[in-house]
């Protein structure tokens, strides 16, 4: 559940979003993208939670890995559908994780 | 809901956590810390969601602002109670937001 990421530095993509009403194929595509992300080079893990707001944070070895995932063909189709029907609003933040600690 | 942060760069603290069962004073303290965080120098906003996992991302002008908030007296007491009774596990990641975009 909490990603077991390697020692910093590494990268994070914080994806904060507000869904449109209804499923409209969202759950199936979300599962597909979850499976596909895990297969990408440089993928380190991801964490998700949703109540009124959805937050998904994915972790990556490098910015190059993030860019490659953004440009992956099936993922591009999912992003297009996201803008067209699944999300009212979203914000994506690309971050360098400089330090971390756990309990 | 989605924080209206200024142009990058700025900083993010990703706080991922798994709660213990029951409230045990958590909701009240969470509200207090929410109010107190907003008053701190360098605070830019925060976003939260919880289902099985809780994710709170707070945004800050600088690492110095993050350190000052970590060391704030009432917040230190809340962190201690968090370790003692509210959280089974948590991970905190300090990040530099290098770029962002919204829809």
């Amino acid at each position: 559940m909490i990603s077991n990421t390697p020692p910093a530095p590494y990268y994070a993509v914080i994806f904060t979003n507000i869904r449109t009403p209804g499923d409209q194929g969202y759950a199936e595509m979300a599962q597909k993208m979850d499976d596909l992300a895990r297969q990408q080079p440089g993928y380190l893990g991801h964490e998700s939670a949703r109540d009124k707001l959805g937050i998904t944070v994915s972790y990556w070895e490098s910015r190059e890995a993030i860019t490659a995932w953004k440009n992956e063909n099936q993922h591009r189709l999912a992003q297009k559908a996201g803008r067209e029907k699944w999300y009212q609003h979203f914000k994506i933040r690309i971050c360098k994780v400089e330090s971390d600690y756990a309990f």
Side-chain angles (χ1 to χ4, degrees), chain A:
Chain A
M1 304 262 292
I2 297 181
S3 295
N4 186 21
T5 38
Y10 52 93
Y11 286 81
V13 179
I14 305 170
F15 175 45
T16 310
N17 61 80
I18 297 173
R19 283 286 323 279
T20 49
D23 183 70
Q24 302 186 80
Y26 171 78
E28 186 186 356
M29 182 63 92
Q31 184 60 53
K32 266 191 196 169
M33 288 304 111
D34 186 308
D35 295 343
L36 191 60
R38 291 172 198 275
Q39 299 166 33
Q40 302 309 302
Y43 171 86
L44 299 176
H46 75 270
E47 298 161 346
S48 276
R50 180 180 301 281
D51 43 36
K52 289 174 198 164
L53 200 67
I55 303 177
T56 295
V57 188
S58 59
Y59 301 104
W60 301 89
E61 283 178 4
S62 65
R63 285 202 60 148
E64 291 70 27
I66 293 169
T67 302
W69 169 234
K70 188 178 183 217
N71 293 328
E72 197 282 334
N73 279 339
Q74 292 180 71
H75 189 207
R76 285 171 73 105
L77 293 176
Q79 289 168 61
K80 185 168 183 291
R83 289 173 186 270
E84 286 172 0
K85 58 181 178 180
W86 292 322
Y87 299 115
Q88 285 182 39
H89 304 287
F90 66 73
K91 187 147 188 158
I92 288 177
R93 295 176 171 98
I94 313 292
C95 312
K96 183 176 189 178
V97 181
E98 296 184 337
S99 64
D100 61 26
Y101 59 98
F103 166 78

